[in-house]
Amino acid sequence: MYDSRLCPKFEKAMSIISQRWTGLIVYQLLNGGPQRFSEIEASITISGRVLSDRLKDLEQSGIVKRDVYPETPVRIEYSLTDKGRALKPIFECVETWSQDWVTLDEEDKG
């Protein structure tokens, strides 16, 4: 008989990557390599507080790593771990799908 419940691992994965702004943060790091907080913030126009929360969540999930360089002033960079880089094919498929199927309204074009 067919079990209609989702696989718990799939459900957990979807809850991680579907959190608001998370996909855009991962996409930015996939395409831009290691970046400072201010670079990520400027690239996706997200508030600092929300970005900080999402980066902490992604770090806790093992998708993002935070490197602190003991310089003056201290430099902190965020990059993807192997686990985070493994998301690349998924994001490439979403990018292709969006090019083929998503249309923008005038208000979406900003």
Side-chain angles (χ1 to χ4, degrees):
M1 178 171 224
Y2 177 73
D3 185 359
S4 64
R5 293 176 293 163
L6 290 176
C7 167
K9 286 186 175 187
F10 179 81
E11 195 172 351
K12 173 88 177 192
M14 288 304 295
S15 74
I16 292 169
I17 62 173
S18 68
Q19 193 171 17
R20 187 161 187 185
W21 299 108
T22 297
L24 293 176
I25 295 167
V26 171
Y27 185 77
Q28 179 65 27
L29 291 172
L30 276 169
N31 292 312
Q35 295 177 45
R36 297 178 80 160
F37 186 94
S38 60
E39 294 172 302
I40 301 168
E41 186 178 28
S43 69
I44 57 177
T45 60
I46 183 175
S47 78
R49 182 171 183 255
V50 173
L51 178 57
S52 178
D53 289 345
R54 292 302 171 270
L55 286 168
K56 286 176 187 172
D57 293 342
L58 288 166
E59 189 177 5
Q60 203 168 39
S61 296
I63 294 171
V64 167
K65 70 176 180 170
R66 180 178 184 265
D67 291 312
V68 180
Y69 298 93
E71 302 170 351
T72 305
V74 172
R75 179 171 52 105
I76 300 171
E77 288 186 343
Y78 296 89
S79 59
L80 295 173
T81 62
D82 289 342
K83 183 178 180 179
R85 285 188 298 278
L87 291 166
K88 186 174 184 167
I90 296 164
F91 280 81
E92 288 173 341
C93 286
V94 172
E95 184 174 33
T96 299
W97 179 86
S98 71
Q99 295 302 314
D100 293 343
W101 295 100
V102 175
T103 57
L104 296 178
D105 299 331
E106 285 305 312
E107 61 191 43
D108 294 328
K109 294 178 185 175

